[in-house]
Amino acid sequence: MTSLTLRVNGREHALAVPASAPLLQVLRNDLGLNGPKYGCGLGECGACLVLVDGVAARSCVIPAGGVAEREITTLEGLGTRDRLHPVQQAFIEAQAAQCGYCLNGMIIATVALLARTPRPSEAQVRAALSHNLCRCGTHVEILQAVERAVELMT
Ligand code: FES
């Protein structure tokens, strides 16, 4: 076990975790943050995305100890039940969920995209989401959700 402090969603957490524990495991098992999902566990599907200093990162392949000094934001840290983040609101309005398992990654990737490119082209949106897998095939609604998020944020 190793001791570390993680800054997650604006709060500091002192933890004792196995030295090699992936960030995803610590977020879900130790902090009860179940927004990030376990999909492939190999850095391939995007279900586990979180923001690390505002950049989308695959928490299943990042050792928790490697991000101890960084600002981590999970889906839970984007908005509140009463005041959703505009990207969350847009995904609801566009009915972009079928099973919903990929949505954590889609939303986090969209938040990161719009932070660096507030008015992306469709090609930029497709590129930003191209490594997030959706097995239900709701890609059309997901693209509409990103379009709506741009409207809500500008
Ligand atoms: Fe992390 Fe698939 S669970 S990329």
Side-chain angles (χ1 to χ4, degrees):
M1 295 294 240
T2 186
S3 298
L4 71 140
T5 302
L6 286 184
R7 244 193 328 252
V8 184
N9 299 334
R11 290 181 53 196
E12 295 212 337
H13 301 270
L15 298 156
V17 298
S20 62
L23 177 59
L24 177 63
Q25 180 184 317
V26 175
L27 292 172
R28 291 181 59 89
N29 296 357
D30 296 276
L31 299 182
L33 296 168
N34 294 319
K37 299 288 184 284
Y38 184 92
C40 64
L42 298 169
E44 302 282 345
C45 74
C48 65
L49 282 184
V50 298
L51 297 172
V52 178
D53 293 337
V55 176
R58 289 163 196 251
S59 63
C60 68
V61 289
I62 298 174
V67 289
E69 302 302 319
R70 318 282 288 278
E71 194 64 51
I72 300 157
T73 306
T74 69
L75 188 68
E76 292 88 343
L78 295 181
T80 65
R81 278 181 193 276
D82 297 330
R83 193 177 171 83
L84 296 174
H85 186 285
V87 174
Q88 294 172 310
Q89 183 64 40
F91 271 71
I92 291 170
E93 289 182 20
Q95 298 186 24
Q98 191 156 319
C99 84
Y101 206 79
C102 71
L103 280 198
N104 169 72
M106 295 292 183
I107 289 171
I108 293 286
T110 301
V111 170
L113 169 67
L114 299 186
R116 63 178 191 275
T117 310
R119 298 188 71 85
S121 65
E122 186 177 328
Q124 287 173 312
V125 173
R126 286 176 181 267
L129 300 181
S130 63
H131 297 291
N132 287 70
L133 304 185
C134 168
R135 299 294 297 271
C136 302
T138 54
H139 300 86
V140 171
E141 288 81 1
I142 288 167
L143 291 175
Q144 290 168 349
V146 178
E147 225 175 273
R148 178 66 181 137
V150 170
E151 286 171 11
L152 291 173
M153 293 174 75
T154 53

